[in-house]
Amino acid sequence: MTYTERHKEGKHKLYTNTLFIDAMKKLIFDTDNSYAPLVLRLFLAVVIFPHGAQKLLGWFGGFGFSGTMNYFTETVGLPWLVGLLVIVIEFFGPVALLAGFATRLWSIAIGIVMLGIILTSHNDYFFMNWFGNQPAEGAEFFLLAIGISAALAVTGGGAFSADRAISKKQ
């Protein structure tokens, strides 16, 4: 059936929507069976998850959801929605990365959070506290997380990922 015939029968919208959905699935879930993305996503997840658990649940000496939201909105001056997104991304993003689900989306989100941290909290000094004269360490941790996130955004979840299982079904 040609596009013109589908259009006359009112099926062109369904066909167009199907093409769009298929393209989005491919963009989000397509990956190969490489082990490099597996290693990257597991390490990023293991490193970021405790930070999210501190913010959402109060684990590992964190302040929990209300304490973190108060800090974000009152001390840092972030809008409420941005604070909420940071908590959600830092907690649920690593869980999704462990499973390899929507790896590209979660990696991009984590990379954006890390960039936001550099721009809002680590903008007075750049790299390590070599001589102990800075109030904290520099941005190297966040830069590394951004680099890993960027690599995962390019490759997808790789071996042993939900992304791989979904992309094989297409």
Side-chain angles (χ1 to χ4, degrees):
M1 179 180 283
T2 66
Y3 180 79
T4 306
E5 291 168 341
R6 281 192 303 272
H7 191 339
K8 286 179 183 176
E9 292 183 21
K11 295 181 181 178
H12 68 286
K13 289 183 182 177
L14 178 63
Y15 179 74
T16 305
N17 289 343
T18 303
L19 287 177
F20 176 75
I21 290 169
D22 288 345
M24 292 309 297
K25 280 183 183 177
K26 185 170 177 54
L27 180 68
I28 294 169
F29 297 113
D30 194 36
T31 189
D32 61 14
N33 206 24
S34 173
Y35 289 100
L38 169 66
V39 172
L40 290 173
R41 69 182 165 83
L42 293 180
F43 273 91
L44 185 61
V46 166
V47 169
I48 299 297
F49 178 79
H51 296 275
Q54 285 179 316
K55 292 172 178 73
L56 183 65
L57 305 174
W59 292 1
F60 311 111
F63 297 109
F65 181 78
S66 58
T68 302
M69 284 299 293
N70 186 50
Y71 172 76
F72 281 162
T73 57
E74 302 297 322
T75 305
V76 180
L78 293 176
W80 187 87
L81 182 60
V82 173
L84 176 66
L85 287 173
V86 167
I87 293 170
V88 166
I89 290 167
E90 284 193 16
F91 184 81
F92 292 105
V95 174
L97 288 180
L98 282 174
F101 178 72
T103 302
R104 285 187 171 91
L105 294 178
W106 286 108
S107 296
I108 290 168
I110 289 170
I112 290 170
V113 168
M114 296 299 120
L115 180 61
I117 292 169
I118 290 172
L119 295 175
T120 59
S121 302
H122 291 270
N123 51 8
D124 292 334
Y125 40 89
F126 180 66
F127 221 62
M128 293 177 62
N129 191 3
W130 291 96
F131 303 107
N133 56 3
Q134 296 172 176
E137 294 295 327
E140 62 273 4
F141 168 82
F142 308 105
L143 290 171
L144 187 59
I146 290 169
I148 294 171
S149 295
L152 287 170
V154 170
T155 64
F160 303 110
S161 67
D163 291 349
R164 177 81 175 137
I166 293 168
S167 68
K168 283 172 58 174
K169 290 180 183 178
Q170 296 177 18

